[in-house]
């Protein structure tokens, strides 16, 4: 399977809140794992976290690609095409 256009064109922005999930930090929430938006650098929590901010960020902004922000993980996910890269 060929890599989708969103994954092939994804950028590498700096994390806006490298210390954790942007919304959880502001609201006093907790997260399980972190994801970084490859369009704007937003850090959100994964779908195993109570608030699922990474997916929420996609729905709010339409930014299609996120990458794991966990040490030792390098995978990316395109929400538009449901494809891992």
């Amino acid at each position: 399977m060929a890599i989708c256009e969103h994954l092939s064109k994804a950028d590498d922005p700096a994390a806006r809140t490298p210390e954790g999930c942007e919304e959880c930090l502001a609201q006093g929430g907790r997260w399980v794992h972190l994801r970084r938006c490859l369009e704007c650098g937003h850090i959100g929590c994964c779908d195993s976290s109570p608030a699922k901010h990474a997916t929420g960020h996609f729905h709010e902004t339409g930014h299609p690609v996120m990458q794991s922000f966990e040490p030792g993980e390098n995978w990316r996910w395109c929400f538009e095409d449901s494809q891992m890269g």
Side-chain angles (χ1 to χ4, degrees), residues 29-58:
R30 63 180 183 82
W31 59 84
V32 177
H33 297 286
L34 299 172
R35 312 293 182 233
R36 176 176 56 116
C37 173
L38 294 185
E39 189 159 326
C40 70
H42 172 269
I43 300 295
C45 53
C46 71
D47 284 357
S48 295
S49 301
K52 304 176 184 178
H53 287 122
T55 297
H57 178 73
F58 162 69

Side-chain angles (χ1 to χ4, degrees), residues 16-80:
R16 294 191 331 207
T17 54
E19 63 277 11
C21 174
E22 190 169 323
E23 291 85 357
C24 287
L25 289 168
Q27 301 165 1
R30 63 180 183 82
W31 59 84
V32 177
H33 297 286
L34 299 172
R35 312 293 182 233
R36 176 176 56 116
C37 173
L38 294 185
E39 189 159 326
C40 70
H42 172 269
I43 300 295
C45 53
C46 71
D47 284 357
S48 295
S49 301
K52 304 176 184 178
H53 287 122
T55 297
H57 178 73
F58 162 69
H59 290 297
E60 290 171 16
T61 64
H63 296 168
V65 181
M66 63 94 188
Q67 182 175 35
S68 174
F69 197 63
E70 294 298 312
E73 294 184 1
N74 195 29
W75 57 266
R76 300 176 298 157
W77 175 255
C78 176
F79 286 101
E80 281 290 318

